[in-house]
C-alpha cells in the first residue's frame, strides 16, 4: 500500500511513506484512550481512514484455551470485490508472523529496564508500523509525542532492508545548565533492532542519517499507551513549548 507521509510533510516533496497495522482490538483501544493520530498534520479524510486501517482485511484472533494452550483462528472481513481468502494459508502465515513478533517482544522485554517491562508484552503491542524511506537519505531529528502519532511507551525499530551505512542520532538538549546537551550515534546494519525507552524515548530527539539513497525499509513496534498523566510526567514536562 502507498501509505502516508510524516506529520505535515508535503507528499509531493517527501518520498517517505508509513502505515499503521494494528493488532486485533488495539485500534479501538487507541481511539478509546483519546489519542489523536496525525493531530498536527494536514492529512485529509481519505488518508486518515487509510492509515488507521489494518494492513490486511484479515484479523487474527489469538485465544487462550481452558488448558492454557494458544489456539489461533482467522476472522475475515471482505468486500465483495476482494478475492476469496485461503483460510489455511492465512492461518499458516499469520502464525509465523505472530511467533516472530513474540520472539522479538520477549527479547526486548529481557533488555528493557524493570520500569517498562510490563509494557513489553504481546497484549501491549499496539501497532506494527512499516516505513518505506524511498530514497530519502535522512529522517529529520524529531520526538514521538505519545498522545499523537508517536504513541507507544516503548518504541522498537527493526532494520529490514538497506540499513547498512546508516546511523541513528540521539540528541538530549538537557533540561537546565546543570544538564548539558549530549548526543549519540548508533551505527546500523540490516537485521538490527533498537528500542527507545526512558530518557532516550522521552527526552531525546532521534533521527536517521544514511550515506546512500538506497530504499531503506524499517518496521516500528509500538508498545503500550500513555494515559494523559503519564504522558505529562514522562514526556511533555521536558517539552513545555
Amino acid at each position: 500500500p502507498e501509505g502516508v507521509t510524516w506529520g505535515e510533510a508535503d507528499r509531493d516533496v517527501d518520498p517517505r511513506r508509513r502505515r499503521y497495522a494494528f493488532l486485533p482490538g488495539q485500534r479501538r483501544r487507541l481511539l478509546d484512550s483519546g489519542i489523536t493520530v496525525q493531530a498536527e498534520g494536514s492529512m485529509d479524510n481519505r488518508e486518515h481512514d487509510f492509515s488507521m486501517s489494518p494492513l490486511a482485511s484479515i484479523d487474527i484472533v489469538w485465544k487462550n484455551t481452558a488448558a492454557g494452550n494458544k489456539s489461533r483462528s482467522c476472522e475475515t472481513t471482505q468486500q465483495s470485490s476482494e478475492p476469496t481468502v485461503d483460510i489455511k494459508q492465512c492461518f499458516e502465515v499469520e502464525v509465523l508472523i505472530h511467533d516472530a513478533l513474540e520472539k522479538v517482544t520477549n527479547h526486548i522485554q529481557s533488555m528493557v529496564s524493570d520500569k517498562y517491562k510490563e509494557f513489553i508484552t504481546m497484549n501491549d503491542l499496539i501497532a506494527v508500523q512499516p516505513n518505506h524511506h524511498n530514497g530519502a537519505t535522512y529522517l529529520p531529528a524529531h520526538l514521538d509525542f505519545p498522545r499523537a502519532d508517536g504513541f507507544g511507551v516503548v518504541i522498537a525499530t527493526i532494520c529490514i532492508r538497506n540499513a547498512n551505512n546508516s546511523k541513528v542520532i540521539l540528541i538530549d538538549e538537557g533540561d537546565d545548565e546543570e544538564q548539558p546537551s549530549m548526543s549519540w550515534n548508533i551505527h546500523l546494519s540490516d537485521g538490527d533492532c533498537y528500542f527507545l525507552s526512558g530518557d532516550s524515548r522521552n527526552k531525546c530527539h532521534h533521527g536517521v542519517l544514511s550515506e546512500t539513497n538506497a530504499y531503506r525499509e524499517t518496521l516500528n513496534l509500538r508498545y503500550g499507551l500513555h494515559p494523559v498523566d503519564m504522558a505529562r510526567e514522562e514526556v511533555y514536562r521536558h517539552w513545555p513549548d
Side-chain angles (χ1 to χ4, degrees), residues 40-53:
E40 303 299 327
S42 56
M43 182 184 294
D44 60 30
N45 290 335
R46 180 191 65 81
E47 285 187 315
H48 182 271
D49 291 343
F50 187 79
S51 72
M52 290 295 289
S53 64

Side-chain angles (χ1 to χ4, degrees), residues 119-206:
F119 299 102
I120 312 301
T121 68
M122 288 299 290
N123 288 335
D124 276 303
L125 177 54
I126 307 299
V128 177
Q129 176 189 328
N131 305 300
H132 296 265
H133 297 272
N134 292 334
T137 56
Y138 67 94
L139 178 64
H142 64 284
L143 184 88
D144 280 21
F145 286 100
R147 300 290 296 173
D149 294 58
F151 62 87
V153 176
V154 176
I155 304 168
T157 299
I158 302 173
C159 302
I160 302 296
R161 187 170 68 151
N162 291 327
N164 298 331
N165 300 316
S166 64
K167 57 186 177 182
V168 176
I169 310 295
L170 291 174
I171 305 170
D172 184 347
E173 297 180 351
D175 287 334
D176 50 45
E177 294 181 357
E178 296 181 359
Q179 279 191 303
S181 61
M182 297 180 289
S183 63
W184 300 264
N185 296 333
I186 304 170
H187 292 268
L188 303 172
S189 298
D190 288 356
D192 284 352
C193 176
Y194 63 92
F195 63 87
L196 303 178
S197 66
D199 284 353
S200 66
R201 185 258 181 276
N202 303 326
K203 288 184 62 182
C204 294
H205 284 105
H206 63 276

Side-chain angles (χ1 to χ4, degrees), residues 66-99:
N69 296 323
K70 203 172 290 181
S71 64
R72 302 173 173 93
S73 61
C74 294
E75 293 181 355
T76 62
T77 54
Q78 302 180 57
Q79 298 178 358
S80 59
S81 60
E82 293 180 336
T84 301
V85 175
D86 184 331
I87 296 298
K88 183 176 183 295
Q89 184 181 26
C90 155
F91 177 87
E92 293 173 347
V93 170
E94 296 295 342
V95 165
L96 292 174
I97 293 173
H98 176 275
D99 289 348

Side-chain angles (χ1 to χ4, degrees), residues 17-62:
R17 295 292 183 268
R18 61 175 174 161
R19 191 160 183 205
Y20 299 114
F22 291 94
L23 274 73
Q26 300 291 18
R27 176 184 175 191
R28 174 50 52 193
R29 180 180 169 190
L30 179 135
L31 295 175
D32 287 347
S33 74
I35 291 176
T36 304
V37 175
Q38 201 75 17
E40 303 299 327
S42 56
M43 182 184 294
D44 60 30
N45 290 335
R46 180 191 65 81
E47 285 187 315
H48 182 271
D49 291 343
F50 187 79
S51 72
M52 290 295 289
S53 64
L55 273 179
S57 61
I58 303 168
D59 280 344
I60 306 304
V61 180
W62 294 281

